Amino acid sequence: MDKLKLKLQEYYQRCQQPDLRTKAGREEAGGAVVLEMENDILLQFGLPTSKRFVQILHDFASHRQLSDQLLDYVSKKLRAAARKYLLAPVVSDIDQLLQAAEQKRSPYDLLPELGYPVNDFSIFLISEILYRRNMPAEEVLEELKKAQHGDVWDDLLSLGNVANYMQHELYNRLRMQDLRMMDDYLQSVRRQQKEKVAKKETPDAEAYTPNYRMVSKILVEDIVFDEHANPSLIGKLKAGSRLSKITISMEMSALHQVLVSAGEKGALISSQLKKQKKHPPVIDIRTELGDVLTLDNCYLEVYKPQHKRGQQWVEAREPFFYLHKILSKKEFEKKSKAEDVKQKIQECLNLIGGSYGYYQRMRKLGITDEEAKLRAGLQDELLFKLSTFLHKLKD
């Protein structure tokens, strides 16, 4: 038996241990050997430890019995996967990130293929910063490079477990790496920890559903900073000739992205903020720029906070919103077109489903089956079947 098969056999036997049969078990300290073996096996084939390739090994370890045939099968499968992966056209890191953002690809699959570790911070950069906040792929890649160059992965994990992390010496040391998303990540970790402590009070546990809405054409008058909360944009929302007050709270990285989208003046404010070690309580935009800052080159998906009244969640009356997502004009138009097409498809389906009801009424009046189908516009057999099923779903 060759070395590869011996390695696979050892891996299989190790995975059969009771405490290593689940994913959670493999990720515990006792499963560190298994993770190392997975890396060694895939490395022999020139494959990264991304989810799609590790899954081949997991499927192999899930078989009830080990045999020579099974060892041959998994060896061939790994060779085939390696051949396809290694002979595929070379794609730049930026293009991989752009494709991943479009496909919402798993960070566990993407990061190893980019050459970065699967770490809480790297996952945060992909799933939160790139996918949810739509930050440019170039900036996300730059942040990954900085974290890799400074080898800060474990330090960030450690700092995330410190209650007053800003007062810890490790925080000041990590700030030297110029990681723009570090504070956002640490704030996110703190929020998750608080949610775990008060899990019964979280909106998810109480059927809380935010009412998302899209806003644009915002005239920003002030930017307010609070050391205990995220910064907020204060201004007026323009809808036709009408102006209404609005306040939007967002994380610092999102604020920079929104400002940069506003052109040269917004980029100037963003640049000034990055240079400041401590932000002022309020930035008066008129004083800084001579006029308000117009945000009309992007769309913000926002939602109001809600409070519980009896058994129901009720939105606050104040025009205060949290930012959920930033969309470019192109992304907004694409989303709007998709929603419009879905609505039109649904309208067509409703009409087809309603036609079956008309067909039934014709039949009850004694009209022949063929004539009733013709009058209902269901003479095509496939269309008639579709109408039947849609009518049943409605009932």
Side-chain angles (χ1 to χ4, degrees):
M1 188 178 290
D2 59 33
K3 289 184 179 180
L4 173 62
K5 287 186 177 180
L6 285 172
K7 193 78 173 180
L8 285 169
Q9 186 178 39
E10 184 185 353
Y11 171 77
Y12 179 90
Q13 292 167 348
R14 176 79 66 169
C15 289
Q16 299 314 301
Q17 296 177 13
D19 59 333
L20 296 177
R21 287 181 180 173
T22 63
K23 181 181 177 182
R26 287 192 295 272
E27 290 175 349
E28 292 295 327
V33 175
V34 169
L35 297 178
E36 188 177 338
M37 290 177 73
E38 289 173 352
N39 183 61
D40 289 345
I41 293 169
L42 293 176
L43 192 62
Q44 288 189 42
F45 291 91
L47 293 171
T49 53
S50 54
K51 188 178 178 181
R52 56 175 171 157
F53 300 128
V54 172
Q55 190 61 47
I56 296 174
L57 296 176
H58 290 177
D59 292 342
F60 160 65
S62 68
H63 282 76
R64 291 185 178 181
Q65 289 186 335
L66 181 65
S67 63
D68 288 338
Q69 290 81 2
L70 180 59
L71 288 170
D72 288 335
Y73 171 76
V74 72
S75 298
K76 289 178 182 177
K77 195 167 184 178
L78 287 168
R79 286 192 181 92
R83 192 178 303 112
K84 185 177 180 180
Y85 175 75
L86 296 171
L87 294 179
V90 176
V91 181
S92 69
D93 290 350
I94 289 293
D95 287 338
Q96 284 196 67
L97 285 170
L98 291 172
Q99 291 172 15
E102 187 176 336
Q103 301 165 4
K104 292 296 183 285
R105 191 176 168 196
S106 168
Y108 294 89
D109 214 22
L110 174 66
L111 286 164
E113 295 186 17
L114 288 172
Y116 297 101
V118 177
N119 170 275
D120 273 7
F121 183 58
S122 61
I123 292 172
F124 175 80
L125 290 176
I126 299 300
S127 60
E128 175 68 19
I129 302 300
L130 180 64
Y131 293 173
R132 188 165 174 264
R133 300 187 200 168
N134 291 315
M135 182 161 281
E138 292 84 357
E139 295 184 24
V140 174
L141 181 60
E142 183 64 25
E143 191 81 346
L144 284 167
K145 287 179 179 178
K146 288 179 183 177
Q148 184 83 312
H149 178 73
D151 192 21
V152 300
W153 309 110
D154 292 338
D155 287 342
L156 281 168
L157 279 175
S158 300
L159 196 58
N161 293 316
V162 177
N164 298 316
Y165 61 84
M166 295 184 75
Q167 299 174 12
H168 198 278
E169 62 175 347
L170 184 57
Y171 177 78
N172 294 322
R173 199 155 67 239
L174 288 175
R175 281 182 65 86
M176 301 296 290
Q177 301 296 330
D178 193 28
L179 295 168
R180 290 177 53 198
M181 308 305 163
M182 182 178 78
D183 285 323
D184 284 347
Y185 163 71
L186 293 170
Q187 288 171 17
S188 173
V189 171
R190 295 302 300 155
R191 280 197 303 273
Q192 290 173 16
Q193 290 171 347
K194 288 178 182 178
E195 286 173 3
K196 287 180 181 179
V197 172
K199 191 172 182 181
K200 292 181 180 179
E201 300 175 10
T202 59
D204 289 340
E206 299 289 349
Y208 171 99
T209 305
N211 179 26
Y212 296 112
R213 62 200 78 181
M214 205 71 71
V215 297
S216 188
K217 297 182 180 178
I218 302 167
L219 308 179
V220 181
E221 299 171 340
D222 299 293
I223 302 176
V224 177
F225 294 91
D226 184 338
E227 62 182 20
H228 302 297
N230 288 328
S232 298
L233 294 180
I234 298 177
K236 291 183 174 66
L237 181 63
K238 190 175 182 181
S241 58
R242 184 186 172 194
L243 293 175
S244 56
K245 292 183 179 179
I246 188 170
T247 299
I248 306 176
S249 174
M250 61 188 70
E251 295 188 354
M252 198 66 198
S253 60
L255 174 61
H256 284 297
Q257 188 178 348
V258 169
L259 288 173
V260 170
S261 75
E264 187 177 338
K265 291 183 177 180
L268 176 63
I269 297 293
S270 175
S271 177
Q272 290 175 353
L273 289 174
K274 290 176 182 177
K275 293 176 183 177
Q276 296 170 348
K277 291 184 178 179
K278 187 175 182 180
H279 301 132
V282 180
I283 294 179
D284 186 329
I285 299 298
R286 280 194 178 90
T287 301
E288 293 292 325
L289 303 177
D291 199 357
V292 296
L293 183 66
T294 303
L295 301 180
D296 59 358
N297 202 33
C298 65
Y299 288 80
L300 308 182
E301 192 174 64
V302 299
Y303 65 96
K304 278 190 174 185
Q306 297 185 17
H307 61 276
K308 204 167 185 185
R309 184 183 295 167
Q311 296 299 316
Q312 292 184 327
W313 287 95
V314 181
E315 278 190 351
R317 291 184 178 181
E318 295 77 19
F320 178 87
F321 297 85
Y322 288 114
L323 177 66
H324 176 245
K325 198 173 185 180
I326 303 171
L327 296 176
S328 65
K329 280 188 175 181
K330 186 177 179 181
E331 289 170 329
F332 174 76
E333 288 169 0
K334 184 178 179 181
K335 183 178 181 180
S336 298
K337 285 179 182 178
E339 290 174 352
D340 186 51
V341 170
K342 286 179 183 177
Q343 184 179 349
K344 288 178 179 177
I345 290 173
Q346 189 58 53
E347 289 172 359
C348 291
L349 292 174
N350 290 339
L351 287 172
I352 295 171
S355 295
Y356 186 79
Y358 181 74
Y359 159 80
Q360 285 183 316
R361 290 195 293 274
M362 293 297 101
R363 291 290 289 139
K364 287 178 181 178
L365 292 173
I367 296 174
T368 64
D369 182 76
E370 187 176 357
E371 181 65 17
K373 287 181 179 178
L374 182 63
R375 292 190 185 187
L378 300 174
Q379 59 269 37
D380 181 87
E381 191 60 28
L382 183 59
L383 192 61
F384 178 76
K385 286 183 178 180
L386 177 61
S387 181
T388 304
F389 294 139
L390 289 171
H391 186 76
K392 288 180 179 178
L393 282 175
K394 189 176 180 182
D395 289 345

